[in-house]
Amino acid sequence: MTKFTQRVRVAFPDTDTSGRIHFTAMLRYFETAEIEFLRSLGFQYRDARDVVFPRVRVECEYRSAIGFDDEVDIRVAVKRVGSSSYTLEFEAFKEATLAANGSIVVVCVGRPGKAQALPEALRTALVQAASSDDKRADSRIG
Amino acid sequence: MTKFTQRVRVAFPDTDTSGRIHFTAMLRYFETAEIEFLRSLGFQYRDARDVVFPRVRVECEYRSAIGFDDEVDIRVAVKRVGSSSYTLEFEAFKEATLAANGSIVVVCVGRPGKAQALPEALRTALVQAASSDDKRADSRIG
Amino acid sequence: MTKFTQRVRVAFPDTDTSGRIHFTAMLRYFETAEIEFLRSLGFQYRDARDVVFPRVRVECEYRSAIGFDDEVDIRVAVKRVGSSSYTLEFEAFKEATLAANGSIVVVCVGRPGKAQALPEALRTALVQAASSDDKRADSRIG
Amino acid sequence: MTKFTQRVRVAFPDTDTSGRIHFTAMLRYFETAEIEFLRSLGFQYRDARDVVFPRVRVECEYRSAIGFDDEVDIRVAVKRVGSSSYTLEFEAFKEATLAANGSIVVVCVGRPGKAQALPEALRTALVQAASSDDKRADSRIG
């Protein structure tokens, strides 16, 4: 399976008064990694016409603290590709330490609000990413 | 001039690792107060058709610290009403202490991106609010 | 079981270019409801000394779209109370429609970063809330 | 004067239902650029001990629309260096178009909440940056 890694840097508004990131910040990092992962597959959400990609299920486990200015590596993998949805798995590392892991189920929805088939190019790219060898692609962000 | 006061409560993601609110949180509070102020005048952004209301100028001075769970009273006043824009002034109080004050210039823009006349009902309500006596309207939020 | 309901209003920065709320906004609403629920039980996070309450597990299913300015009722219930952690369940309704549901596991952590016993007053209140009859408490926010 | 440019990429939660970024997102981009600018000068906020750096004045003019996934170049310049504060100027470009410009006044505050002298290394670096020739330093982020 293709593994994709996106580096993000923790910003001030990602943290809260506890001195750590707010738990929702990690989910935004997952989404940033997802967008760059799909871009690496040749698909950009910005090019989607007449469809949106809402998340229908999100889960995340938080394992160790992340703080301001930390660099976090988000690994993305395709877990499942359906006809109108897909599931991505995420792991967040601070250096060698697993800080969080989770998954997000994304569904393709036409503007009137009904699930519909994934764009063919996206579906093909995801299936390929899910089945290919572990070629780690790295990228940097934030 | 009509003064409108909106109470907001500081949430965890509004704060950062400094132990205070992130400076952008105050501007979101201003916007919340603006929306409720306009609602009190009979105008709801949600009802706007074919126009959007981007901010073209924002300024804010921060005078004292605000922290998690604090209740902050945001006072709104109309400073200026133009043909396609308006300026609102804001003051944020934590109890009797002025925590911040600022102003926001909002312009009415048609979907193609050109400034256009304010909806007549909104303009009338703002002009009236700007000229009326100081009837303080209170509301609570967040 | 005590059911607690908190009303929140969707703000502009909670939405994104899809025209719906960003998925992380719902989790912030859950947290707002949690804070007000605990306050209704007599416990305020702001009063916690030497401990923080990180989330260690979050999950959410999104069932229908929520948009700008919608009023959303968040219902909170205690699912589990452990010695150093607790699990809360959330349901979000837009009028009679279930828009989302999920759960959050919160752990009590001393400043050095080790799980420790819940404050006794909090634990007692949660156990009582988990076992009491369904007395619905309502509150309004944002 | 040293000009520093930081590239940021617009994320979904930076946008709102208008289809553009929320106005507060631009101010977060300014802060990201500020942090990377100071890092390029050898100063990291994360290393600050016993002081915090609240913003005491912020202003921004918005000149053209920025949307999801746009790449925005934020240019930072030192406008003023005082004994306990400094002012930075920002310009945001989408390709050759000026999308926004503004300034932020930052003050150095000891934990008890009183303004105090800037750390000497930071002050020296800022003064040098303010007076040096226009050596453009580029960086990429997000």
Side-chain angles (χ1 to χ4, degrees), chain D:
Chain D
M1 180 167 40
T2 301
K3 281 276 185 29
F4 181 86
T5 301
Q6 181 68 38
R7 176 162 289 185
V8 297
R9 169 85 79 170
V10 175
F12 269 124
D14 296 342
T15 65
D16 66 27
T17 192
S18 72
R20 304 148 170 250
I21 59 166
H22 192 260
F23 72 102
T24 54
M26 182 59 74
L27 300 170
R28 292 195 301 270
Y29 302 159
F30 286 0
E31 187 178 69
T32 295
E34 170 191 341
I35 287 167
E36 297 306 322
F37 169 58
L38 294 186
R39 202 189 317 275
S40 77
L41 299 179
F43 182 83
Q44 298 191 91
Y45 280 132
R46 66 183 305 161
D47 297 334
R49 299 277 171 250
D50 306 323
V51 288
V52 289
F53 292 88
R55 278 87 250 275
V56 292
R57 179 171 172 78
V58 171
E59 60 179 88
C60 186
E61 294 190 64
Y62 300 83
R63 297 174 179 281
S64 63
I66 296 290
F68 170 67
D69 218 38
D70 283 347
E71 289 183 300
V72 185
D73 289 318
I74 310 292
R75 293 193 195 163
V76 191
V78 179
K79 184 180 181 185
R80 193 189 60 81
V81 185
S83 58
S84 63
S85 70
Y86 50 93
T87 304
L88 300 177
E89 284 187 322
F90 301 87
E91 291 174 314
F93 286 87
K94 180 182 169 182
E95 296 172 358
T97 305
L98 181 64
N101 61 289
S103 65
I104 296 183
V105 183
V106 181
V107 66
C108 180
V109 172
R111 292 282 173 188
K114 297 184 71 169
Q116 65 175 64
L118 294 176
E120 191 51 37
L122 172 59
R123 188 171 196 283
T124 303
L126 287 170
V127 167
Q128 197 160 9
S131 62
S132 67
D133 292 340
D134 188 343
K135 291 168 301 187
R136 178 168 162 174
D138 284 299
S139 180
R140 273 187 168 248
I141 207 164

Side-chain angles (χ1 to χ4, degrees), chain C residues 81-123:
Chain C
V81 185
S83 58
S84 63
S85 70
Y86 50 95
T87 304
L88 301 176
E89 284 187 322
F90 301 88
E91 292 174 314
F93 286 88
K94 180 182 170 181
E95 296 173 357
T97 304
L98 181 64
N101 62 290
S103 65
I104 296 183
V105 183
V106 181
V107 66
C108 179
V109 172
R111 291 282 174 188
K114 295 184 72 168
Q116 64 175 64
L118 294 175
E120 191 52 36
L122 173 60
R123 188 170 197 284

Side-chain angles (χ1 to χ4, degrees), chain C residues 33-105:
Chain C
E34 170 191 341
I35 287 167
E36 298 306 323
F37 168 58
L38 294 185
R39 201 189 317 275
S40 78
L41 299 179
F43 182 83
Q44 298 190 93
Y45 281 133
R46 66 184 305 161
D47 297 334
R49 300 276 172 250
D50 306 323
V51 288
V52 289
F53 292 89
R55 278 87 251 274
V56 293
R57 179 170 173 77
V58 171
E59 60 178 87
C60 186
E61 294 190 65
Y62 300 85
R63 297 175 178 280
S64 63
I66 296 291
F68 170 66
D69 218 39
D70 283 346
E71 290 183 298
V72 185
D73 289 318
I74 310 292
R75 294 192 194 163
V76 191
V78 179
K79 185 179 181 184
R80 193 190 59 82
V81 185
S83 58
S84 63
S85 70
Y86 50 95
T87 304
L88 301 176
E89 284 187 322
F90 301 88
E91 292 174 314
F93 286 88
K94 180 182 170 181
E95 296 173 357
T97 304
L98 181 64
N101 62 290
S103 65
I104 296 183
V105 183

